[in-house]
Amino acid sequence: MISRRDLLIGGMLAGASAGAWAWTPREKMSLLGNKELEKLIPSAFGEWREQPATALVVPDEEGSLAARLYSERVGRIYANADNDIVMVLIAYGGTQSDSLQLHRPEVCYPAFGFEIRGTRDVPVTLSPEIQIPGRSMVAVSNMRTEQILYWTRIGEFLPVTGAEQRWARLRTEMSGTVPDGILVRLSTVGTDADRALELNRRLAGDLMKAVGPDARRVLVGTSLAKALSG
């Protein structure tokens, strides 16, 4: 005879199993779709023109975790008429999970011998009416100092910290969807942090003005892309 205790335990296990099934992601989100990231990001826009890229911090060793995580990457160096230089890395991952998550620059740069200093949250202005949350930091090595500004998108969220990134992924998964993600990183070499932040922000705003709706959706999510498109 099955005891009342056994029935209660069985009911709890069945409920847990049903809950786990309900939370199991069954669809994949891809704001990039069938587009190619390389073709969505222009080589020239506003005051900026692409230059030969030789100094970008890009973890792309064949077979590495980063190579498996990022299905598409665009690395560019842009310069304006005043010879201001901004390095841009845009890395897209089609699947964000426990084992495959965007590597934030705080993790990536130390692997290349940089020391991270002065991390802080800063807004990134994409239009006169729209700002998104970003993060700035300084990466210092024996060779150079980089002033970095970046933001990340996980699904339809723009997390600023690693904890927020994990929460964004969890919230999306609880809705039954495996999110995609993107890292947009801008950096300027030099020790003048205020000047570098101004340049990085300026390029971010100019880029968002120049790209089309498909690129905006990938870079900042559906709602903000619609708002930026007017």
Side-chain angles (χ1 to χ4, degrees):
M1 179 180 295
I2 300 175
S3 68
R4 184 171 180 271
R5 177 175 175 275
D6 290 338
L7 286 173
L8 287 173
I9 293 174
M12 292 171 63
L13 290 174
S17 176
W21 182 89
W23 285 3
T24 299
R26 293 179 294 279
E27 297 182 2
K28 290 188 68 173
M29 171 185 291
S30 176
L31 298 191
L32 181 61
N34 60 0
K35 307 293 183 181
E36 295 181 32
L37 188 61
E38 182 80 25
K39 294 181 179 179
L40 295 180
I41 308 301
S43 59
F45 55 92
E47 62 179 307
W48 306 98
R49 299 294 180 270
E50 184 181 0
Q51 307 296 308
T54 58
L56 282 173
V57 174
V58 182
D60 59 357
E61 296 87 352
E62 185 176 353
S64 68
L65 175 61
R68 290 187 288 116
L69 170 59
Y70 300 121
S71 51
E72 295 198 40
R73 278 172 290 185
V74 176
R76 304 268 177 84
I77 294 180
Y78 292 98
N80 61 15
D82 296 325
N83 204 34
D84 295 316
I85 305 291
V86 178
M87 299 181 287
V88 178
L89 174 69
I90 303 175
Y92 175 81
T95 300
Q96 299 297 298
S97 65
D98 282 332
S99 58
L100 294 175
Q101 296 189 56
L102 294 178
H103 283 178
R104 307 179 80 82
E106 293 95 325
V107 175
C108 175
Y109 270 79
F112 283 79
F114 286 83
E115 178 187 347
I116 301 302
R117 303 175 185 171
T119 301
R120 61 191 177 101
D121 297 344
V122 296
V124 182
T125 300
L126 303 182
S127 76
E129 300 82 20
I130 298 175
Q131 289 184 331
I132 62 172
R135 175 165 279 200
S136 73
M137 66 183 208
V138 185
V140 181
S141 74
N142 294 331
M143 301 296 293
R144 67 178 188 263
T145 297
E146 282 192 36
Q147 308 287 340
I148 299 164
L149 174 67
Y150 77 91
W151 73 85
T152 60
R153 176 187 63 76
I154 302 293
E156 295 289 359
F157 299 94
L158 298 172
V160 177
T161 66
E164 289 181 3
Q165 180 173 314
R166 291 187 293 273
W167 178 235
R169 178 178 59 80
L170 178 61
R171 289 184 65 182
T172 306
E173 288 179 349
M174 289 174 64
S175 70
T177 302
V178 178
D180 64 352
I182 200 163
L183 163 71
V184 182
R185 191 190 78 205
L186 307 96
S187 57
T188 301
V189 175
T191 57
D192 189 337
D194 292 337
R195 172 64 173 158
L197 179 60
E198 189 271 330
L199 286 172
N200 291 337
R201 279 173 159 168
R202 199 161 86 203
L203 188 143
D206 289 346
L207 176 63
M208 205 58 65
K209 291 176 187 175
V211 299
D214 290 334
R216 289 172 181 161
R217 183 173 61 251
V218 177
L219 296 176
V220 296
T222 305
S223 297
L224 284 173
K226 290 180 179 178
L228 287 166
S229 296

